[in-house]
Amino acid sequence: MTVDTSPGLRDDVRVIAHYFPQFHEIEENNRWWGQGFTDWTNVRKARPLFSGHYQPRVPVDGRYYDQAQYETLAWQIDLAKRYGIGGFCHYHYWFEGKQLLNAPTDLVIARPELNLPFCLAWANETWSRRWDGRERLILQAQTHRPDPAMWSRHFEYLFQAWSDQRAIKVEGKPIFLIYRPHFIDQVGNMLNHWRELAHQRGLSGLFFIAMKQFEFPQPEIIRHFDATSQFQPFEAIYSPDYDGPKGMEQRKILQPLRKLPEPLLRFIRETRDRLVPRRTHYNYDTVWQHIL
């Protein structure tokens, strides 16, 4: 992700790295996937699938770091600075007051000496057992109830990041990304509620970004946002001119059917699952060239 903080000054574009906080242990993952689970568990289990396939990937010096540790964050921030990264965009998981994988973000907020600009991206999806093919088995539901009291509670947490001196801003406004904005009932009312609370707290405003992937948010959704960001590789794979697998095209065709009654939608999904391969493979170089 790049952020142009001063339109017209093209040398003032910063590279922001998405920061995925699944490399530390939490109680819920221990319960769902086994004691001690982090994404390192999956990395270690990987095996070569063809000649020359480098798996499992081993981190430099065998450093299977823990993102809940201060030393890890300090080391990663130092690396980012040395290699020209302008900030981290932490994935933020909020389920009506319940948070998951928030230890690295809380650590950064609490320790101002971890001095690298940062922002948050709300990964506002339901968690399921998709990794092992049981995506309808819900682990943590995301409901998005249009509740101003809950919006205010969410704001109280976000304000810690938005009011921080290290907050990444556009035109003086802290930025906040939302992964699937069209999932949120009354998203415009929620964002306006936050804007009003931010004004009351002395912020100059908020800069909301909708993440564009395989479904571009509709005009009635996007008008509430200040910008969009392209989420790769979905943005490339689902673009009209990508010559990709036919199974992916079938999934695209099914997207408009989301609003059908649930029993009918379930029947369509089950039929799709029988007809469309569950695993689709992409050529990395082809997708990367299309991204460029």
Side-chain angles (χ1 to χ4, degrees), residues 23 27 30 42 56 70 72 82 90 104 118-121 127 131 151 156 200 202 218 233-234 247 251 277:
F23 296 89
E27 177 186 345
N30 287 340
N42 291 334
Y70 175 88
T72 296
R82 280 195 276 146
H90 290 229
F118 72 97
C119 61
L120 304 182
W127 284 20
W131 290 346
W151 296 342
E156 291 301 326
Q200 294 174 12
Q218 296 300 312
F234 295 142
R251 291 191 183 107

Side-chain angles (χ1 to χ4, degrees), residues 4-10 12 170-171:
D4 183 357
T5 57
S6 301
L9 298 177
R10 301 309 303 169
D12 193 21
V170 172
E171 301 173 349

